[in-house]
Structures are given as C-alpha cells and as structure tokens.
Amino acid sequence: MAIKTIPTGPGPRKKRSNFLSLTKSGEKLLEGPQASRFIQIFNYLASRFHWGNFYQLQDDGKCGQLGWAYSLVLLSKYGDNPQKSEFYSLKLIRAFEKELWDAHQKGKEDKAIQDYHHAYEARFFECFADWFGLVNIERNRDHSISYFDQLSITKSELFDQLFKLKNKK
C-alpha cells in the first residue's frame, strides 16, 4: 500500500499500464547501501505518507502519526520493560490531545479514548514500529475483557542501535 503512494515521475518507481516498476534511480537505490534505503523509506513513511491509509478509521489518520517522533522518545525511555500499548497512548494523549486527556482525568473513559487507543496501537505499533523492527510485540488474548488483543510492547535491539536518547544538560 505505501509503495503505491510514492509519487510517480522522477523517483524510484514508475507506473505504466497499471503496473509498478523501478526506474533507473530506483535500481541505483537497490544497489546502494541498505542504510540509505532504510533512511529514505523511514523518512517517507514517517513524514510524507498519510497514516490514514493504514486503516480507514474515523480520525482522518491523525492518531498515531501525530507525535510519531515523541512516541520514539517514549519507547527509548520506557521500552526496556514491557508496557501495554495504552501506556504509550495515554502519554501521547496527555501531550497532544487536551480534550481527551481532560476526559480521562475526570474518569470519562468513553468511546473516543478507546478509539484513540486502538488507532494508535494499530498505526504506530503494528503498522510502523513493527514493520521497521523497532518493537517486540506480545499479544495477550483475553476476549472476555476486550475483542482486541492486549499488546505488550518492548523496544527491540535494533531500536537501540538506531536511536539514542540524549539528555539535555
């Protein structure tokens, strides 16, 4: 899905007769260093690809993509120990979604907050961080509590190789 959204024209792919193929620059990219490909694809999916394409939810794709870099900081800080995906979701709500945070503080765990948790979990963890190998996801199935699996998240070894959190002094 994501590769289809990369603009045609000058770039790594072209579309002819409804088929995708590599351009000469795309072939060069494949011959180049893997780190370069990783950075290009990572930057594209993080900043230019609309995450609403991952799942057609009612939030116009905002949930998960908003604050993706902050989510990486949270993973760096808390990812050594298993945390439920809601742990990260609530931190994101606190930082970026004042109305939802106020509702949570008042004990109003309504559908909007649950929808936010689900969208964040699906888009950030399952469709972004897991695709890049940045997290380890353990699924806990208890359908008597919820229809959805409860995800327990830890950061992967690759995460620590790619990202370092620097403390400001």
Side-chain angles (χ1 to χ4, degrees), residues 28-167:
K28 274 185 171 177
L29 184 64
L30 285 179
E31 294 169 1
Q34 287 183 346
S36 176
R37 285 194 305 261
F38 177 86
I39 290 168
Q40 187 173 5
I41 293 169
F42 184 89
N43 285 335
Y44 173 77
L45 283 174
S47 59
R48 293 181 53 210
F49 178 75
H50 191 281
W51 287 17
N53 293 323
F54 284 144
Y55 288 97
Q56 299 299 321
L57 302 173
Q58 300 300 318
D59 68 339
D60 194 33
K62 180 175 100 174
C63 187
Q65 190 160 17
L66 174 68
W68 67 266
Y70 183 66
S71 294
L72 293 178
V73 171
L74 293 174
L75 268 173
S76 180
K77 189 172 182 179
Y78 300 108
D80 289 327
N81 299 316
Q83 302 285 351
K84 290 183 179 179
S85 61
E86 287 87 0
F87 171 84
Y88 295 101
S89 178
L90 284 173
K91 292 202 174 287
L92 209 71
I93 287 172
R94 184 175 186 183
F96 296 106
E97 301 287 347
K98 183 179 178 359
E99 290 177 14
L100 287 177
W101 181 250
D102 289 345
H104 172 72
Q105 289 296 96
K106 292 175 184 174
K108 296 180 180 176
E109 293 291 325
D110 64 354
K111 185 172 176 355
I113 293 174
Q114 293 306 314
D115 288 348
Y116 192 96
H117 289 318
H118 174 66
Y120 178 75
E121 177 179 275
R123 290 187 182 134
F124 180 75
F125 287 117
E126 294 179 310
C127 292
F128 182 74
D130 192 41
W131 283 1
F132 284 105
L134 303 177
V135 293
N136 301 312
I137 297 176
E138 181 182 325
R139 296 181 179 281
N140 301 311
R141 298 174 191 261
D142 187 353
H143 294 294
S144 64
I145 297 174
S146 171
Y147 175 75
F148 301 106
D149 293 344
Q150 299 294 313
L151 301 187
S152 180
I153 309 293
T154 55
K155 63 182 177 179
S156 68
E157 289 181 29
L158 177 62
F159 183 94
D160 285 330
Q161 293 171 9
L162 295 174
F163 304 103
K164 300 282 185 234
L165 185 63
K166 294 182 181 179
N167 292 330

